[in-house]
Amino acid sequence: MLSAFGNAQAQAAARHDVRDYGARGDGKTVDSGAINAAIEAAARAGGGTVLFPPGRYLSASIRLRSRVTLHLEAGAVIEAVDWKVAPYDLPEPNAAGGNYQDFGHSHWKNSLIWGIGLDSVAITGTGHIDGKGLNPGYRKLPDGSIRYDADGGPGEGNKAISLRECNNVLLRDFGILRGGHFGLLATGCSNVTVDNLRIDTNRDGMDIDCCSNVRISRCSVNSPWDDGICLKASYALGRIAACDNITISDCYVAGNFDVGTLLDGTFKRSAPEYHSSRVGRIKLGTESNGDFRNITITNCIFDDCRGLAIESVDGSHIEDLTISNITMRKVANDPIFICLGARLRGPDAPPVGTIRRVNISNIVVSGAQPGFTSTISGLPGHPVEDIHLSNLRLHVEGGGTAMLRDVVPLEKPTAYPEPGMFGPCPAYGLYVRHAAGIDVGHVTVTYAQPEARAAFVLEDVRDAVFSAVNAQPGSGGAAMFDLRSVTDFTVRDARRVQDQHVPDTVQRQRI
């Protein structure tokens, strides 16, 4: 047995201070070579911790190794250098999987920090990573709008942290400022813990793609221009792979703070001239070749950003989801958006996927933007199935006119999935179409501005039960329910509406 002195010696030997390998941390010297030398030394020793004392370490690509931890002490900053000063590693070829998603999803080495095929790798500490020199893959035009471009040419880096097919990953306590296209991209990884990160970025916060056994907890993400926390199941690995056994808990996602003000604690709301896209949400899908299974999202706050999105458009099967205890304020579009589409971008002409067995409960929404509504939308002949909504309190801005009551939203099966894609909506609370097995209970919807639309509109829906629901009465005799080609509809214990069961198909009925 080692003595206490022997243990201390062993721990000291396992630590590799980057300054001992030539790093300056002065914000002027490019320290990539010294950092990578420290990592290699730790790997040769069988593993250990590479220590970053306080300082600003300019760097291009940092190459992680198995059984090595990067530890950023308080005051330590790894800053992505301009690629013209020091080029990043080149993106590796990806002929098999690079044709069905963005360039940024399909390559990993062109990043500030990357690892491929590693085991037991970690980044810890209360310092932070500044992606100042990374290419986020977009340009802000003079009118404030965004144009998404390529993610850079040879020598440019476009991601803060990029991991492919790594096992036993720990990312804890540090911050990311300006993370490039992705603050974190993890693809095909397993047993991943992402805990207490602060991400304040100019594109996606974190994308978890084709990963299994992932725990995301206590993270704060401000991402005005793209998603905050996004689960994907792309074809980037050159094979179909699922995103499964995922938990997201106790997280905060925002979409309308000036970049950098979440990290410095000032939380400065963006002025209108900033033209923030107010994205910042939690999303499953868009890239959806593989399946999404066994996923729980709980105890999260959405602030001045888009709502929850669940999207299968490339053939994936989304099933067994539980989403609970969510608050949303100043929602930029649909508070809840569930969409089954038929873009089918993938090899061998994949068939349409499915969305089923989804429980959403204990949701509070206020300040939902006019012109949007919570939406559940399948495809003709491909219904979204077995969706349960309970204990929801939705307060929307309202303002819908009587002219919108008879609107039939567009069908866009091959379009990029995004809330609002179907055009004007005839409901102010919930619009459901091409669906079966819909159970809505203990839901209240209200509005701020006069509202002439129905609270709930169902179109091509079978087996729907609404119980203990309450909706603020609309103006001009607006109905609570507008049924369009609906079979087997039940309402009970609803305020201002008598209990009734409509067993047969009704082409149009207002209740």
Side-chain angles (χ1 to χ4, degrees):
M1 179 181 296
L2 287 173
S3 66
F5 178 73
N7 275 324
Q9 281 188 317
Q11 290 173 1
R15 293 174 182 166
H16 300 262
D17 189 322
V18 294
R19 294 172 302 183
D20 294 338
Y21 294 83
R24 301 292 295 275
D26 58 8
K28 300 176 182 179
T29 307
V30 178
D31 289 325
S32 315
I35 294 168
N36 284 314
I39 293 171
E40 288 300 316
R44 287 195 300 271
T49 297
V50 173
L51 183 66
F52 290 79
R56 182 168 288 269
Y57 302 87
L58 297 186
S59 184
S61 292
I62 296 171
R63 306 171 193 110
L64 299 173
R65 294 291 302 273
S66 293
R67 296 175 296 282
V68 173
T69 295
L70 305 188
H71 184 76
L72 282 64
E73 291 189 339
V77 179
I78 300 175
E79 179 182 314
V81 71
D82 188 303
W83 71 277
K84 295 176 183 177
V85 175
Y88 293 78
D89 290 344
L90 296 178
E92 67 278 35
N94 189 0
N99 298 322
Y100 301 107
Q101 56 280 318
D102 293 344
F103 180 88
H105 297 76
S106 305
H107 306 275
W108 295 266
K109 291 185 178 181
N110 56 332
S111 304
L112 174 59
I113 301 173
W114 65 266
I116 296 177
L118 305 180
D119 184 72
S120 301
V121 62
I123 304 174
T124 63
T126 56
H128 76 264
I129 296 163
D130 184 348
K132 181 178 180 181
L134 299 175
N135 181 355
Y138 78 84
R139 289 184 296 123
K140 196 171 180 180
L141 302 180
D143 64 357
S145 63
I146 292 296
R147 175 176 293 171
Y148 293 97
D149 302 311
D151 289 274
E156 289 191 72
N158 68 3
K159 294 172 283 287
I161 302 171
S162 186
L163 304 171
R164 171 177 172 163
E165 296 175 301
C166 296
N167 183 47
N168 298 323
V169 175
L170 172 63
L171 306 172
R172 175 172 285 157
D173 292 339
F174 58 90
I176 297 176
L177 174 65
R178 297 175 290 200
H181 192 156
F182 302 102
L184 165 64
L185 174 65
T187 310
C189 297
S190 60
N191 298 330
V192 178
T193 298
V194 182
D195 179 53
N196 199 35
L197 298 194
R198 295 151 290 121
I199 303 177
D200 200 344
T201 190
N202 45 357
R203 195 74 188 271
D204 274 27
M206 65 178 83
D207 277 38
I208 306 300
D209 189 2
C210 299
C211 293
S212 62
N213 299 320
V214 178
R215 307 290 170 257
I216 301 169
S217 60
R218 304 188 303 156
C219 292
S220 298
V221 183
N222 175 50
S223 55
W225 308 111
D226 220 321
D227 298 316
I229 300 173
C230 188
L231 306 184
K232 296 186 176 180
S234 74
Y235 198 70
L237 296 171
R239 64 179 187 274
I240 299 295
C243 195
D244 61 3
N245 299 330
I246 313 290
T247 63
I248 302 172
S249 63
D250 303 288
C251 290
Y252 174 77
V253 291
N256 200 33
F257 294 116
D258 288 352
V259 172
T261 65
L262 181 148
L263 270 179
D264 69 18
T266 60
F267 295 95
K268 181 182 176 183
R269 298 280 180 186
S270 298
E273 56 268 23
Y274 187 65
H275 295 283
S276 167
S277 295
R278 298 173 64 197
V279 186
R281 63 188 163 192
I282 296 177
K283 181 174 78 171
L284 286 72
T286 304
E287 278 71 31
S288 47
N289 301 97
D291 296 341
F292 298 82
R293 302 184 299 244
N294 293 347
I295 295 170
T296 295
I297 302 169
T298 189
N299 296 348
C300 293
I301 296 172
F302 292 56
D303 187 2
D304 210 353
C305 63
R306 299 184 186 181
L308 175 76
I310 301 169
E311 303 164 347
S312 168
V313 296
D314 297 320
S316 73
H317 302 286
I318 299 179
E319 55 191 24
D320 302 328
L321 272 59
T322 295
I323 300 164
S324 63
N325 301 344
I326 307 291
T327 66
M328 303 184 192
R329 298 189 68 186
K330 298 183 180 179
V331 184
N333 54 27
D334 296 26
I336 299 169
F337 182 71
I338 301 175
C339 177
L340 178 63
R343 180 178 66 174
L344 304 180
R345 186 173 69 175
D348 303 321
V352 173
T354 58
I355 301 177
R356 58 196 174 199
R357 297 194 300 277
V358 177
N359 283 358
I360 300 176
S361 64
N362 300 335
I363 310 294
V364 175
V365 174
S366 67
Q369 183 171 307
F372 296 91
T373 189
S374 291
T375 301
I376 299 172
S377 181
L379 293 169
H382 299 276
V384 173
E385 301 176 273
D386 196 7
I387 309 296
H388 289 227
L389 308 178
S390 64
N391 296 328
L392 273 58
R393 178 67 173 89
L394 310 177
H395 182 69
V396 302
E397 289 301 308
T401 65
M403 294 181 62
L404 296 176
R405 289 179 184 172
D406 296 322
V407 163
V408 178
L410 299 171
E411 300 271 7
K412 293 185 176 181
T414 62
Y416 183 93
E418 192 63 71
M421 63 185 288
F422 302 121
C425 185
Y428 77 83
L430 177 64
Y431 176 63
V432 184
R433 71 171 170 188
H434 310 314
I438 304 299
D439 192 327
V440 179
H442 296 276
V443 172
T444 297
V445 292
T446 57
Y447 52 80
Q449 301 299 321
E451 182 56 72
R453 296 172 294 174
F456 307 103
V457 176
L458 283 66
E459 181 179 348
D460 183 25
V461 174
R462 173 174 50 83
D463 183 18
V465 177
F466 284 70
S467 60
V469 296
N470 181 29
Q472 186 175 346
S475 61
M480 181 182 286
F481 296 95
D482 185 350
L483 310 182
R484 307 173 179 186
S485 299
V486 173
T487 304
D488 194 7
F489 171 82
T490 299
V491 58
R492 57 176 177 254
D493 300 325
R495 296 188 185 180
R496 294 182 297 279
V497 172
Q498 292 184 345
D499 290 5
Q500 54 190 290
H501 177 219
V502 182
D504 300 321
T505 300
V506 294
Q507 294 304 316
R508 187 72 183 271
Q509 180 175 342
R510 293 185 175 93
I511 299 174

